[in-house]
Amino acid sequence: MVAAAPGPSAVAATISHEPAAAAQRATPLAGAGWHLKTSGSTARFRGLAAVSRSTAWVAGTGGTVLRTHDGGKRWSDVSPPGAGGLEFRDIEAFDARRAVVLAIGEGEASRVFRTDDAGATWHESFRNTDPRAFYDCLTFFDQRHGIALSDPVDGRYRILSTGDGGRSWRVLPSDGMPPAQPGEAAFAASGQCLVSAGRHDAWIATGGATTARVLHTADRGHTWSVTDAPLPAGDPARGVFALAFRDRAHGLAVGGDYRPDQPSPRAAAVSADAGATWTASAEPPKAYRSGAAWLPHSRRLALAVGPSGSDVTFDGGRTWHPFDQGSYDTVDCAPDLGCWAAGERGRVARLGW
C-alpha cells in the first residue's frame, strides 16, 4: 500500500537542518508514507482541515462531515442535519470544536455552515441567492477574518467576506477584481483554489481558459493583481488546481489536466515573490495533482497529492519525487507535523513514520 517514501530521519533532518536534497533522497526510507485510516464512509472527501496529529475534519459528498480526535482510530459523523443533498468541498477548522464548511453549486446549493461544539450543532450562515454564482473555496486569515470565492459573475470573480469567524458574510465590491478570461473558473477539487498566508494575503488558482493564472490580494480580498502561471491550459479540464503558501512570499502551484487519459506535463510551479511571477518546476509530478501542502517549520519540504499518487519535494517545489500510489484529492498539515490526506471512497490517511 505504501511505496518507497521519505522516512523519519530524512523528514526530521529536512525540518531541523535543511540538508541537501540529494543526501535526503539517498537515505533508506522504510516504513514512511500515508497510513490509511478506516473512516467508515464511502463519501469522496475533497475538504480537509488538519488541526493536529490527533484531530482532523473531512468534508465531502452527500453533505458528509467527519471528525476524529484520536488520530483516525475513530471517526464521528458530525454532518449538518438535512445536508444530504449538498456537496461539501472545503472545510476550515480553528480547533477541535470550531469549524466552517462550504457546500458548492449553482444558486442555493452554495452554502456555508459553522459549528462551535465539534459538530453537535451547525448554523447555516450563508446561502447563495444569485443563480449566476457558484462558490468553490474558502480560507481564513485568522479566527475572525475570512473570504470565500465564487466563479466569475458579470466577468469577475466574486468574493464573500466575513469578520466574525464565518457567522455572517457579505459580498465585496468587484471594482478591485481584474476581469476573468472567457471560460475561466476555479476548480473545487481540494479546497485549495483559494488559500491565504498571514493576516491579509490570499491567492486564487484558475483554469479552464487560454492561460492558467494566479490572483493575489494583500488587503483581504478588496483589490487583486493577476499573473500567468506556466501550467497546462487551453482546455476546461486544465489549469492550476491548488496553491500552497508557507509565508506571504513563497508559494507552490499544482494542477494539470484532471482527465485520467490525458498527460499533465508542467503540472507544478513555484513563486518566491508572493505570486507576482511563477517558474515551472524543473521536475514536476508525472501526473495531475489536485492538492498541495507545506510541512510546517520547513522551508523546502512539501507534499502534493492527486488521484494517481503523491509526491514530495525536498527543494521548495523545484523537483518532485513520487512516494505513494494511493488516490487522494487533498492534503493538509498541522503545526505539530500532523499531515493528513483524503479522497475518494472514504479514503483518509495520516503521514506516518
Side-chain angles (χ1 to χ4, degrees):
M1 177 161 40
V2 178
S9 57
V11 173
T14 303
I15 294 170
S16 302
H17 306 295
E18 304 287 5
Q24 294 166 9
R25 291 196 296 271
T27 305
L29 304 175
W34 294 121
H35 293 189
L36 275 170
K37 308 296 179 179
T38 302
S39 71
S41 173
T42 59
R44 186 165 195 168
F45 295 122
R46 296 183 186 269
L48 168 64
V51 176
S52 67
R53 285 186 59 80
S54 60
T55 301
W57 304 68
V58 291
T61 55
T64 306
V65 178
L66 305 184
R67 173 185 171 275
T68 183
H69 61 83
D70 58 9
K73 295 177 183 177
R74 295 182 297 263
W75 292 86
S76 301
D77 186 338
V78 295
S79 307
L86 299 179
E87 294 284 327
F88 290 137
R89 293 294 181 92
D90 199 356
I91 186 166
E92 303 290 329
F94 304 113
D95 52 38
R97 298 183 60 81
R98 298 176 298 160
V100 178
V101 64
L102 170 74
I104 69 160
E106 296 178 349
E108 293 192 357
S110 285
R111 305 181 195 182
V112 179
F113 299 81
R114 176 180 167 118
T115 182
D116 291 289
D117 54 12
T121 61
W122 292 86
H123 165 64
E124 183 183 303
S125 58
F126 172 76
R127 182 179 298 203
N128 175 45
T129 57
D130 189 335
R132 303 169 299 169
F134 185 114
Y135 286 86
D136 300 286
C137 296
L138 58 81
T139 190
F140 279 85
F141 304 99
D142 53 39
Q143 295 192 11
R144 293 180 55 205
H145 301 92
I147 54 176
L149 167 71
S150 166
D151 286 334
V153 176
D154 294 329
R156 297 176 190 270
Y157 288 97
R158 175 170 290 182
I159 300 297
L160 200 63
S161 176
T162 180
D164 56 10
R167 296 179 178 88
S168 64
W169 299 82
R170 67 185 181 94
V171 175
L172 295 182
S174 61
D175 323 17
M177 179 65 71
Q181 300 176 92
E184 190 178 34
F187 294 107
S190 61
Q192 296 173 329
C193 61
L194 173 67
V195 300
S196 58
R199 296 181 61 85
H200 299 93
D201 290 87
W203 296 263
I204 296 171
T206 82
T210 303
T211 304
R213 305 195 301 172
V214 175
L215 285 72
H216 172 229
T217 180
D219 56 12
R220 294 180 179 163
H222 292 277
T223 59
W224 297 81
S225 58
V226 64
T227 189
D228 294 347
L231 272 74
D235 186 277
R238 299 174 185 162
V240 182
F241 280 72
L243 299 168
F245 276 78
R246 65 174 172 82
D247 53 40
R248 72 171 307 273
H250 298 89
L252 305 171
V254 300
D257 190 317
Y258 71 74
R259 295 170 295 192
D261 61 337
Q262 296 295 315
S264 289
R266 301 176 293 109
V270 299
S271 176
D273 55 10
T277 60
W278 291 87
T279 302
S281 298
E283 295 180 32
K286 304 301 184 186
Y288 156 72
R289 294 294 179 253
S290 54
W294 292 90
L295 259 75
H297 321 301
S298 173
R299 293 175 296 169
R300 300 180 182 182
L301 190 62
L303 306 170
V305 302
S308 64
S310 300
D311 303 273
V312 61
T313 177
F314 295 104
D315 55 15
R318 289 184 289 276
T319 62
W320 292 88
H321 313 279
F323 73 92
D324 188 279
Q325 296 180 353
S327 175
Y328 298 102
D329 292 311
T330 187
V331 59
D332 192 27
C333 292
D336 69 350
L337 304 183
C339 291
W340 296 79
E344 62 183 349
R345 297 192 298 273
R347 289 172 61 90
V348 186
R350 192 182 69 184
L351 194 67
W353 46 78

